[in-house]
Amino acid sequence: MNPFITHTGIVAPLDRANVDTDAIIPKQFLKSIKKTGFGPHLFDEWRYLDHGEPGMDLTQRKKNPEFVLNQTPYEKASILIARENFGCGSSREHAPWAIEDYGFRAILAPSFADIFFSNCFKNGLLPIVLSNETIDLLFKSIYANKGYTVTALKHLSKIITKKIHGYFKLERFFK
Amino acid sequence: MQAKTLYEKLFESHIVREEDGTYLIYIDRHLVHEVTSPQAFEGLRINHRSVWRSKSILAVPDHNVPTTDRSLGISDPISKIQVETLDENCKHFGLTQFPMNDSRQGIVHVIGPEQGSTLPGMTIVCGDSHTSTHGAFGALAMGIGTSEVEHVLATQCLILKKFKTMEVRVEGKLNKGITAKDIALALIGKIGTAGGTGYAIEFTGECIRSLSMEGRMTLCNMAIEAGARAGMVAVDDVTISYVENRPFSPKGEALEKAKAYWKTLHSDKDAKFDKVVMLNGSEILPQVTWGTSPEMVVSIEGMTPDPKNENDPSKRKSIEDALTYMGLEPNLPINQIKIDKIFIGSCTNSRIEDLREAANVIKGKKIAQNIKLALAVPGSGLVKLQAEKEGLDQIFIAAGFEWREPGCSMCLAMNADRLNPGERCASTSNRNFEGRQGQGGRTHLVSPSMAAAAGIYGHFVDIRSLS
């Protein structure tokens, strides 16, 4: 595991509430007995226009141009922002494995589902809870500034952007 | 002595160590299935660790198993490897497993209670979010990730922080045809899918006391869909008479001792919960989800929402996205929604009582012409056997249902049972997420009798209107 200390990256706006673990990594990929290799299938049903199965040649698949991670500059994003209750649904650790394997290091949202939240910390992925107002402000800033970046500092429980210096609460349990 | 909630009693009796609000908790029962365990066993092997208490484990393959002729084996080679990996791991580490062709095989959350492996007062974990089901027995049961599965295998302990406590009190009597599934969906409709996040829910009240163990399991199963990692019901005579005489449950003197302890497993009269939610059982109508989250639910008398009436832009977008995915117009009466497939099964609703309830609706009738497939998938081999003894299989088959072998089946469509893009299903399962039952599939969550009735009429109907 690559422990999270500090990270700066482009933030991809996934403007949805209740992003569930079936959307994060669909069930057909859970048949793997490995911990790695889930990144190419992160959000598979949203990212691609065809149906994905394990072992497919990804270069032959048609990407969905409407999906945020297929749009410039978000293909280079390493932080994800979404709405309430991110990671709801199953306990599959394949969800954080896929997010981390894809190249994300942190997720910003107003709330997370319990099991997903604790699974993230086992895999060096930092879920950051911010107020609805801060999340709204960040979404607006991202839409107004292409390639908007955020820096997250775990030990200080702090996020820094051009305009915002915000703190998030991280219980000692997760440090 | 300070009055305690059931959750506090269960949690505190399992503390091994505490440091600054972080607890090491002892785990009594560890249920294991093929999907979330291979990486945990691999971790043990890499680190040359053994299983701490192999007797605490009951393993079963359920997600990948075919529900058709088992003598043909598993045709999907990747699913086959996953099931064989569980077989090998159980053999290597000396664990009790009911393999695919064992008559006791079934969905992990059905077989635990069925075998008496789930007992009151236990801490129970499984790498599966629906582990909350077992809380119906006055146990502290919750889903965990694979890293935690490995940790419990190796140490028999889990690092936890305390949850907040929520009492969901349901008073009043349920009307005819209303079930635990309707209570669960009505609750989620009221508090939302994140309403229980950070909480352990205890279901209390007259209405809960009148539920059978099957009903209580359905309710606790769905606690996770309300965001709560654990749901529970206090022990009473209904609990104890269910638990007695099961293969793994205590016998003789041990049983008498256990019973005395089990009877203490309820919240004290003056116990304080962090939050209380009240529901009136007599006001609950048959529930049907219309969208892509269990909180997108209305009664059979209702209609799909109109996004125009929602002022919050984020919520409005959620409604629009869900209606588009579901292929539904705003303001559409629920009883006009036509169905393509019926699924009766899953860890939520595949027990004997659920099958009886559905069979009662379809007896002597035939599924509508527009129904392409109707599946009845018992929760376990023993549930299947019992249903066959009662002749329920013949009722399903005569109505046009397919009578299948036990497993998770089309709840999450990891095996061959799935919806095709655009197909609409009345399902007794627990999640209506996009793609859950197959990419592009559209799921409406309902009770077994509502699913059965939708099968007969080809669209949703009010179960109360049927004699």
Side-chain angles (χ1 to χ4, degrees), chain B residues 129-150:
Chain B
S129 60
H130 290 111
T131 309
S132 58
T133 309
H134 308 264
F137 290 83
L140 176 56
M142 68 197 121
I144 57 176
T146 298
S147 298
E148 290 173 321
V149 169
E150 183 179 341

Side-chain angles (χ1 to χ4, degrees), chain A residues 108-123:
Chain A
L108 315 172
S111 59
F112 292 87
D114 277 346
I115 308 179
F116 176 83
F117 192 75
S118 63
N119 279 342
C120 284
F121 293 95
K122 310 283 197 303
N123 296 285

